Amino acid sequence: MPKKYDVIIVGAGPAGLMAARAAGENGLKVALLDRKAEIPKIHRSCGGVIGVNHYTFGQSATFHDEQHSFAFPVTGFTIPYAGPYQNIYGYQIYSPGGKRLELGDFAELKKDPVKNRTGVATSKELLLRGILENLNKYAVEIYPGANITSVRKTPQGVMVGGGGEYFEGSFLIAADGINSRIARNLGFNEGRRFFGTSCDTSWEIEGLDCPDAEGFIFMITPAGLFSMLPAAETNHYHVYALTYRRDKAPAELIHYLFYKDPTFSSWFKQSKLLHATSCVINVFSPVERPYKDNVLLIGDACWRREISNVGALSCGWMAGQAAAIALNEGNRNERGLRSYLEWYERYFYKPHGAATPSALDFQDYLSPEELDYLAGLPGRKLPQTMEFIEMVRLIGRTYAELMSTISDERPGILERLITLRENRDADMEQRVRSGFPNFLTM
Ligand SMILES: Cc1cc2nc3c(=O)[nH]c(=O)nc-3n(C[C@H](O)[C@H](O)[C@H](O)COP(=O)(O)OP(=O)(O)OC[C@H]3O[C@@H](n4cnc5c(N)ncnc54)[C@H](O)[C@@H]3O)c2cc1C
């Protein structure tokens, strides 16, 4: 006999935990299932940054240092956070020789952190634990170690099963993350475009010898692109290596950065490795309508690469509310969840759903010296942003204005940039061919 609930939630990351809280606050009987034995533990790479003071998918967050909480004024909820944190002010991009393109004047911005920070680096484990601990006030039953392997429609709604246990609810909220098994099993991935498989590894370190490290820092090296950002504790950082290629292993890449790169390895001479995580991500285009047969996909489960912590928390909140409205109205169907589906359409799919990632591997086309020349060319700091897409647009606009200078001074670079642009589709095709499951048959 299945255990019966109003709502079943699979996945207790930020999206699933917030869905459980919102449904619980509305008096629903909820089962929250996660395959992890200890739910808030983070095994998959995540920087733990909460973007603040700007809009992410039309949602926003602010951090209140003294109240130890994040507020989400657009959606209307708060979450507690009393752990350590560091402020983040924007992006910086380093060329192979160490020339820096800065988005934001960190020294100036740091004078007023509350107003000027664009992100707060948290301990994601503590953040999730704070939400989880609140759930004991509600009729939310939590099942750690429940790896869900089957889903099927029933006359009453939907039933999920794993490890010999079955759970039935009027709705299933699937918050099982980027490589969602539920999305795959129920056919949500059919018709989604596939953009390759990225393998990431992340080292959390203590100690770093890099100027103005209070931002999201990219390092272009001859071996590939690396990134780094502050972690929650003072003087702690996350360093990431990422690759879509099968001839490069992320672990080898990160060793290259720390021990061999002629420019950046000096930053890490005194660093101590604290913790390593990794993840494999199949990058698909977002799901247009994330609902089918009483199953609602939320968070990364229906998105492209990373819906972000702010996006995932907001999705969870809205999904829990929508389930409560549907059950109050007696609409155990798609119409019942319309408040969620309209919100997702408006803030997520319509503005961002069709955007396609591109394979722009500058280091494969330009020499380190040429990349140094380009990084030094603007000769000024660009405006601050924490939006990745806005950063790409800003850089695109800046270099579009500099094209005639590049053409006069370094025509060879211009030629190679044109080739990079012309090869964009072919390079993406290569990524797709070496992605899961294609590379298994190559
Ligand atoms: C390298 C990297 C760095 C990142 N850094 C940041 C950052 O600094 N800031 C930011 O905003 N975002 C960041 N992100 C993105 C962020 O981690 C995600 O967008 C966010 O965690 C999505 O939340 P979610 O709840 O949808 O999914 P997840 O956090 O992935 O949670 C999914 C949950 O489902 C569970 N699960 C999966 N399958 C099953 C199953 N079959 N049965 C039961 N349980 C299951 C998992 O155990 C997990 O707990 C980063 C992502 C990556 C890859």
Side-chain angles (χ1 to χ4, degrees), residues 74-231:
V74 176
T75 25
F77 64 91
T78 60
I79 51 172
Y81 182 71
Y85 63 91
Q86 293 196 75
N87 295 319
I88 288 182
Y89 293 93
Y91 288 105
Q92 302 191 352
I93 299 158
Y94 278 86
S95 65
K99 289 253 177 327
R100 194 167 22 152
L101 189 63
E102 293 168 76
L103 286 91
D105 182 341
F106 288 11
E108 201 47 43
L109 295 165
K110 270 161 37 184
K111 291 179 185 163
D112 190 349
V114 172
K115 178 164 162 265
N116 292 329
R117 60 189 166 199
T118 53
V120 175
T122 67
S123 153
K124 191 163 172 182
E125 179 173 335
L126 291 180
L127 187 88
L128 298 188
R129 196 178 292 284
I131 307 172
L132 182 71
E133 282 169 358
N134 255 312
L135 296 181
N136 62 17
K137 292 196 234 158
Y138 313 114
V140 178
E141 288 175 25
I142 301 163
Y143 295 89
N147 185 15
I148 295 309
T149 49
S150 70
V151 186
R152 71 180 171 83
K153 175 109 185 76
T154 63
Q156 286 72 37
V158 59
M159 184 155 74
V160 301
E165 280 208 275
Y166 291 89
F167 305 83
E168 190 174 24
S170 299
F171 290 110
L172 163 63
I173 296 179
D176 54 339
I178 195 80
N179 302 320
S180 167
R181 181 188 277 154
I182 294 173
R184 196 167 65 240
N185 284 359
L186 297 182
F188 279 98
N189 291 350
E190 283 158 28
R192 293 175 80 180
R193 282 187 67 194
F194 177 57
F195 297 111
T197 302
S198 103
C199 298
D200 301 27
T201 195
S202 158
W203 280 10
E204 185 175 341
I205 58 164
E206 183 178 4
L208 176 74
D209 186 9
C210 158
D212 305 324
E214 299 97 341
F216 205 134
I217 295 174
F218 289 99
M219 296 149 271
I220 305 175
T221 77
L225 180 69
F226 297 87
S227 59
M228 179 169 80
L229 81 174

Side-chain angles (χ1 to χ4, degrees), residues 11 14-15 34-36 46-47 49 124 146-148 176 300 308-309:
D34 199 291
R35 64 184 173 194
K36 288 192 281 188
C46 178
V49 173
K124 191 163 172 182
N147 185 15
I148 295 309
D176 54 339
D300 272 4
S308 79
N309 293 320

